[in-house]
Amino acid sequence: MRWTELLDVLTNSDRKREVLLERATETERMALFLLRREGWSAQISPKDLKEYDIELSRPGMKAVVQVRNQRAKVHLGQVEKFLDFLAHPNPKNHTEGLFISTSGFTPSVYAYLREEKITNLKLAIMREHRLIFDCESVDRAAEREKTTYIGVFTCKGGVGKTTISAHLAGAFALNGYDVGLIDLDHQQNLRKILGEGVYLPSTKGSLGSVISVLTKDEWDEGDYQDTKIVICDCNPEFDANPKEYIRKFDYCIIPTTLNPLGINKNADVIKRTLASIRRENQTAELFVLINSLQTDEPNRNNLLNQALQTQFKQMRETDARLHYINPLECAIRFSKQLLYWGFHLFDGSRPQLAFKTVGRYSYPRMDFLKLADFLEMQAELPRAQTALAA
Ligand SMILES: Nc1ncnc2c1ncn2[C@@H]1O[C@H](COP(=O)(O)OP(=O)(O)O)[C@@H](O)[C@H]1O
Ligand SMILES: [Mg+2]
């Protein structure tokens, strides 16, 4: 069917909605058409509502639809915004949603909805004039050929390196990857907390994932052929980290916190950290990440964030691979789960990650799945640019 014909079908069915329809994108019109074919009464959302694109109804049921036509897969940050909208009071009391993507969804999106047992949001892929619901099985992430090395490093203790290494490993494991977690810190905190490692069972029928905690001498790519993600919890003393690891990093995460006394001091520490890494590795993507973010202080955070970000402005002008992650997009929030992570050492329970749902949500699970997405998107950028240039 051609677009003009499609439009005829739609506008004939309701002349009054023509104006709304004219404003809709082609993707939205296609979605509208397909949803009506599925038996929904559907219309394009009023102009002033940006949170969704289509309103759906059936007797006794209503929902809103977000439609995305983009090159990259829809990532968890985008889905989170829609979930937030559905979770909070909104003008028409919408609580049910459908997210339609033409390019699919990242593994973090599926993992989050599955682990958090979200039932008020459905996903669909729109492809070749069809809506595919239950789309996870057709939306496989591309196989990783090369092992990705991620370092977590700051020349300072107590900023969350070990916490972040372990839970980022957890996020990749939830996304279906086996992960090697290398303990480069002489304190060997990972070994103490996780022992030899953890196994995350899969709830989607396939085998689960393994996080293996290893020392620098135990890790060998040949012995762990299926392990394509390696995360290193680094020693805060730069020179204590083996150079061969630093040189392998594809990404390096530099955690820091957003507090007044810390900012001047930490910015210096981070600048030194960045310079040290760059001496050994000129190609790694470096990410400054805010840890222990307090979300109920938006005004103070905003000021502090600007102050901290300014500190790296000069460095970023000469280093395109240095990224300051805007905490509004992605940060690790302060949470009790992370504060008390490792408590099993005291109460004798079995080692696990701090991904338990408390109340309605698990902050750490959302934050680390988003971080995994963030890093993966960074990896896709150069590839997409090469493809564009070709
Ligand atoms: N996002 C967070 N929310 C709450 N507590 C945190 C968070 N991140 C780290 N912590 C706490 O801070 C302490 C130090 O973190 P750790 O990962 O050991 O830092 P490092 O490895 O850099 O020394 C840990 O005991 C942990 O409980
Ligand atoms: Mg540590």
Side-chain angles (χ1 to χ4, degrees), residues 216-233:
K216 63 181 196 304
D217 304 317
E218 285 167 339
W219 165 248
D220 182 333
E221 272 190 32
D223 292 345
Y224 294 86
Q225 304 245 351
D226 292 334
T227 303
K228 296 291 186 196
I229 305 272
V230 172
I231 299 177
C232 300
D233 179 16

PDB file of all heavy atoms in Angstrom, residues 216-233:
ATOM      1  N   LYS A 216      44.941 -10.767  38.120  1.00  0.00           N
ATOM      2  CA  LYS A 216      45.551 -10.382  36.848  1.00  0.00           C
ATOM      3  C   LYS A 216      46.285 -11.552  36.194  1.00  0.00           C
ATOM      4  O   LYS A 216      46.395 -11.630  34.983  1.00  0.00           O
ATOM      5  CB  LYS A 216      46.487  -9.187  37.025  1.00  0.00           C
ATOM      6  CG  LYS A 216      47.686  -9.425  37.926  1.00  0.00           C
ATOM      7  CD  LYS A 216      48.507  -8.148  38.022  1.00  0.00           C
ATOM      8  CE  LYS A 216      49.908  -8.345  38.568  1.00  0.00           C
ATOM      9  NZ  LYS A 216      49.985  -8.988  39.883  1.00  0.00           N
ATOM     10  N   ASP A 217      46.760 -12.483  37.002  1.00  0.00           N
ATOM     11  CA  ASP A 217      47.489 -13.624  36.446  1.00  0.00           C
ATOM     12  C   ASP A 217      46.567 -14.758  36.008  1.00  0.00           C
ATOM     13  O   ASP A 217      46.952 -15.595  35.206  1.00  0.00           O
ATOM     14  CB  ASP A 217      48.493 -14.155  37.474  1.00  0.00           C
ATOM     15  CG  ASP A 217      49.431 -13.050  37.932  1.00  0.00           C
ATOM     16  OD1 ASP A 217      49.894 -12.287  37.059  1.00  0.00           O
ATOM     17  OD2 ASP A 217      49.656 -12.928  39.152  1.00  0.00           O
ATOM     18  N   GLU A 218      45.354 -14.762  36.542  1.00  0.00           N
ATOM     19  CA  GLU A 218      44.425 -15.854  36.190  1.00  0.00           C
ATOM     20  C   GLU A 218      43.714 -15.612  34.859  1.00  0.00           C
ATOM     21  O   GLU A 218      43.277 -16.544  34.203  1.00  0.00           O
ATOM     22  CB  GLU A 218      43.368 -16.026  37.299  1.00  0.00           C
ATOM     23  CG  GLU A 218      43.920 -16.697  38.544  1.00  0.00           C
ATOM     24  CD  GLU A 218      42.979 -16.574  39.736  1.00  0.00           C
ATOM     25  OE1 GLU A 218      42.117 -15.668  39.755  1.00  0.00           O
ATOM     26  OE2 GLU A 218      43.131 -17.376  40.669  1.00  0.00           O
ATOM     27  N   TRP A 219      43.536 -14.363  34.489  1.00  0.00           N
ATOM     28  CA  TRP A 219      42.794 -14.059  33.250  1.00  0.00           C
ATOM     29  C   TRP A 219      43.637 -14.400  32.020  1.00  0.00           C
ATOM     30  O   TRP A 219      44.796 -14.013  31.904  1.00  0.00           O
ATOM     31  CB  TRP A 219      42.395 -12.585  33.203  1.00  0.00           C
ATOM     32  CG  TRP A 219      41.956 -12.142  31.840  1.00  0.00           C
ATOM     33  CD1 TRP A 219      42.593 -11.275  31.006  1.00  0.00           C
ATOM     34  CD2 TRP A 219      40.774 -12.558  31.144  1.00  0.00           C
ATOM     35  NE1 TRP A 219      41.895 -11.111  29.848  1.00  0.00           N
ATOM     36  CE2 TRP A 219      40.771 -11.901  29.899  1.00  0.00           C
ATOM     37  CE3 TRP A 219      39.714 -13.442  31.446  1.00  0.00           C
ATOM     38  CZ2 TRP A 219      39.754 -12.084  28.944  1.00  0.00           C
ATOM     39  CZ3 TRP A 219      38.705 -13.621  30.494  1.00  0.00           C
ATOM     40  CH2 TRP A 219      38.732 -12.947  29.270  1.00  0.00           C
ATOM     41  N   ASP A 220      43.023 -15.138  31.104  1.00  0.00           N
ATOM     42  CA  ASP A 220      43.682 -15.506  29.859  1.00  0.00           C
ATOM     43  C   ASP A 220      42.581 -15.658  28.811  1.00  0.00           C
ATOM     44  O   ASP A 220      41.681 -16.487  28.969  1.00  0.00           O
ATOM     45  CB  ASP A 220      44.421 -16.844  30.067  1.00  0.00           C
ATOM     46  CG  ASP A 220      45.180 -17.275  28.815  1.00  0.00           C
ATOM     47  OD1 ASP A 220      44.767 -16.887  27.705  1.00  0.00           O
ATOM     48  OD2 ASP A 220      46.182 -17.991  28.975  1.00  0.00           O
ATOM     49  N   GLU A 221      42.626 -14.822  27.764  1.00  0.00           N
ATOM     50  CA  GLU A 221      41.558 -14.852  26.749  1.00  0.00           C
ATOM     51  C   GLU A 221      41.341 -16.244  26.194  1.00  0.00           C
ATOM     52  O   GLU A 221      40.207 -16.643  25.900  1.00  0.00           O
ATOM     53  CB  GLU A 221      41.892 -13.887  25.600  1.00  0.00           C
ATOM     54  CG  GLU A 221      41.399 -12.483  25.867  1.00  0.00           C
ATOM     55  CD  GLU A 221      41.493 -11.559  24.648  1.00  0.00           C
ATOM     56  OE1 GLU A 221      41.355 -12.042  23.508  1.00  0.00           O
ATOM     57  OE2 GLU A 221      41.713 -10.352  24.852  1.00  0.00           O
ATOM     58  N   GLY A 222      42.429 -16.998  26.051  1.00  0.00           N
ATOM     59  CA  GLY A 222      42.336 -18.343  25.487  1.00  0.00           C
ATOM     60  C   GLY A 222      41.526 -19.290  26.361  1.00  0.00           C
ATOM     61  O   GLY A 222      40.799 -20.154  25.872  1.00  0.00           O
ATOM     62  N   ASP A 223      41.625 -19.105  27.676  1.00  0.00           N
ATOM     63  CA  ASP A 223      40.907 -19.992  28.607  1.00  0.00           C
ATOM     64  C   ASP A 223      39.438 -19.620  28.743  1.00  0.00           C
ATOM     65  O   ASP A 223      38.629 -20.410  29.218  1.00  0.00           O
ATOM     66  CB  ASP A 223      41.533 -19.905  30.018  1.00  0.00           C
ATOM     67  CG  ASP A 223      42.933 -20.504  30.046  1.00  0.00           C
ATOM     68  OD1 ASP A 223      43.274 -21.209  29.080  1.00  0.00           O
ATOM     69  OD2 ASP A 223      43.662 -20.249  31.012  1.00  0.00           O
ATOM     70  N   TYR A 224      39.103 -18.390  28.389  1.00  0.00           N
ATOM     71  CA  TYR A 224      37.719 -17.917  28.574  1.00  0.00           C
ATOM     72  C   TYR A 224      37.178 -17.406  27.239  1.00  0.00           C
ATOM     73  O   TYR A 224      36.887 -16.230  27.079  1.00  0.00           O
ATOM     74  CB  TYR A 224      37.669 -16.797  29.623  1.00  0.00           C
ATOM     75  CG  TYR A 224      38.038 -17.251  31.013  1.00  0.00           C
ATOM     76  CD1 TYR A 224      39.369 -17.300  31.430  1.00  0.00           C
ATOM     77  CD2 TYR A 224      37.044 -17.623  31.919  1.00  0.00           C
ATOM     78  CE1 TYR A 224      39.707 -17.726  32.714  1.00  0.00           C
ATOM     79  CE2 TYR A 224      37.378 -18.045  33.203  1.00  0.00           C
ATOM     80  CZ  TYR A 224      38.702 -18.089  33.587  1.00  0.00           C
ATOM     81  OH  TYR A 224      39.025 -18.508  34.848  1.00  0.00           O
ATOM     82  N   GLN A 225      37.037 -18.331  26.302  1.00  0.00           N
ATOM     83  CA  GLN A 225      36.663 -17.944  24.935  1.00  0.00           C
ATOM     84  C   GLN A 225      35.292 -17.276  24.844  1.00  0.00           C
ATOM     85  O   GLN A 225      35.066 -16.462  23.959  1.00  0.00           O
ATOM     86  CB  GLN A 225      36.657 -19.188  24.049  1.00  0.00           C
ATOM     87  CG  GLN A 225      37.983 -19.928  24.059  1.00  0.00           C
ATOM     88  CD  GLN A 225      38.658 -19.927  22.714  1.00  0.00           C
ATOM     89  OE1 GLN A 225      38.069 -19.521  21.717  1.00  0.00           O
ATOM     90  NE2 GLN A 225      39.899 -20.382  22.671  1.00  0.00           N
ATOM     91  N   ASP A 226      34.380 -17.634  25.755  1.00  0.00           N
ATOM     92  CA  ASP A 226      33.027 -17.065  25.681  1.00  0.00           C
ATOM     93  C   ASP A 226      32.908 -15.757  26.455  1.00  0.00           C
ATOM     94  O   ASP A 226      31.859 -15.121  26.450  1.00  0.00           O
ATOM     95  CB  ASP A 226      32.000 -18.056  26.252  1.00  0.00           C
ATOM     96  CG  ASP A 226      31.872 -19.282  25.364  1.00  0.00           C
ATOM     97  OD1 ASP A 226      32.150 -19.146  24.152  1.00  0.00           O
ATOM     98  OD2 ASP A 226      31.518 -20.355  25.885  1.00  0.00           O
ATOM     99  N   THR A 227      33.969 -15.384  27.139  1.00  0.00           N
ATOM    100  CA  THR A 227      33.910 -14.163  27.945  1.00  0.00           C
ATOM    101  C   THR A 227      34.392 -12.988  27.104  1.00  0.00           C
ATOM    102  O   THR A 227      35.577 -12.862  26.832  1.00  0.00           O
ATOM    103  CB  THR A 227      34.775 -14.335  29.208  1.00  0.00           C
ATOM    104  OG1 THR A 227      34.303 -15.475  29.911  1.00  0.00           O
ATOM    105  CG2 THR A 227      34.692 -13.116  30.106  1.00  0.00           C
ATOM    106  N   LYS A 228      33.442 -12.169  26.680  1.00  0.00           N
ATOM    107  CA  LYS A 228      33.779 -11.085  25.749  1.00  0.00           C
ATOM    108  C   LYS A 228      33.802  -9.718  26.424  1.00  0.00           C
ATOM    109  O   LYS A 228      34.039  -8.707  25.780  1.00  0.00           O
ATOM    110  CB  LYS A 228      32.764 -11.064  24.587  1.00  0.00           C
ATOM    111  CG  LYS A 228      32.805 -12.320  23.725  1.00  0.00           C
ATOM    112  CD  LYS A 228      34.101 -12.373  22.941  1.00  0.00           C
ATOM    113  CE  LYS A 228      34.100 -13.528  21.961  1.00  0.00           C
ATOM    114  NZ  LYS A 228      35.465 -13.815  21.480  1.00  0.00           N
ATOM    115  N   ILE A 229      33.488  -9.702  27.709  1.00  0.00           N
ATOM    116  CA  ILE A 229      33.553  -8.438  28.455  1.00  0.00           C
ATOM    117  C   ILE A 229      34.491  -8.649  29.643  1.00  0.00           C
ATOM    118  O   ILE A 229      34.314  -9.584  30.424  1.00  0.00           O
ATOM    119  CB  ILE A 229      32.169  -8.036  29.009  1.00  0.00           C
ATOM    120  CG1 ILE A 229      31.106  -7.967  27.916  1.00  0.00           C
ATOM    121  CG2 ILE A 229      32.262  -6.717  29.796  1.00  0.00           C
ATOM    122  CD1 ILE A 229      30.967  -6.661  27.209  1.00  0.00           C
ATOM    123  N   VAL A 230      35.467  -7.762  29.758  1.00  0.00           N
ATOM    124  CA  VAL A 230      36.391  -7.839  30.889  1.00  0.00           C
ATOM    125  C   VAL A 230      36.378  -6.489  31.603  1.00  0.00           C
ATOM    126  O   VAL A 230      36.543  -5.444  30.971  1.00  0.00           O
ATOM    127  CB  VAL A 230      37.823  -8.167  30.403  1.00  0.00           C
ATOM    128  CG1 VAL A 230      38.816  -8.045  31.544  1.00  0.00           C
ATOM    129  CG2 VAL A 230      37.865  -9.567  29.812  1.00  0.00           C
ATOM    130  N   ILE A 231      36.120  -6.537  32.899  1.00  0.00           N
ATOM    131  CA  ILE A 231      36.071  -5.289  33.672  1.00  0.00           C
ATOM    132  C   ILE A 231      37.146  -5.339  34.754  1.00  0.00           C
ATOM    133  O   ILE A 231      37.242  -6.323  35.494  1.00  0.00           O
ATOM    134  CB  ILE A 231      34.670  -5.099  34.301  1.00  0.00           C
ATOM    135  CG1 ILE A 231      33.633  -5.006  33.170  1.00  0.00           C
ATOM    136  CG2 ILE A 231      34.625  -3.845  35.181  1.00  0.00           C
ATOM    137  CD1 ILE A 231      32.197  -4.892  33.631  1.00  0.00           C
ATOM    138  N   CYS A 232      37.972  -4.318  34.816  1.00  0.00           N
ATOM    139  CA  CYS A 232      39.075  -4.290  35.776  1.00  0.00           C
ATOM    140  C   CYS A 232      38.799  -3.291  36.889  1.00  0.00           C
ATOM    141  O   CYS A 232      38.585  -2.105  36.627  1.00  0.00           O
ATOM    142  CB  CYS A 232      40.372  -3.884  35.084  1.00  0.00           C
ATOM    143  SG  CYS A 232      40.856  -5.003  33.770  1.00  0.00           S
ATOM    144  N   ASP A 233      38.814  -3.785  38.103  1.00  0.00           N
ATOM    145  CA  ASP A 233      38.741  -2.912  39.275  1.00  0.00           C
ATOM    146  C   ASP A 233      40.189  -2.515  39.576  1.00  0.00           C
ATOM    147  O   ASP A 233      40.969  -3.321  40.070  1.00  0.00           O
ATOM    148  CB  ASP A 233      38.101  -3.686  40.440  1.00  0.00           C
ATOM    149  CG  ASP A 233      38.009  -2.846  41.707  1.00  0.00           C
ATOM    150  OD1 ASP A 233      38.139  -1.611  41.623  1.00  0.00           O
ATOM    151  OD2 ASP A 233      37.800  -3.443  42.787  1.00  0.00           O
TER     152      ASP A 233
END
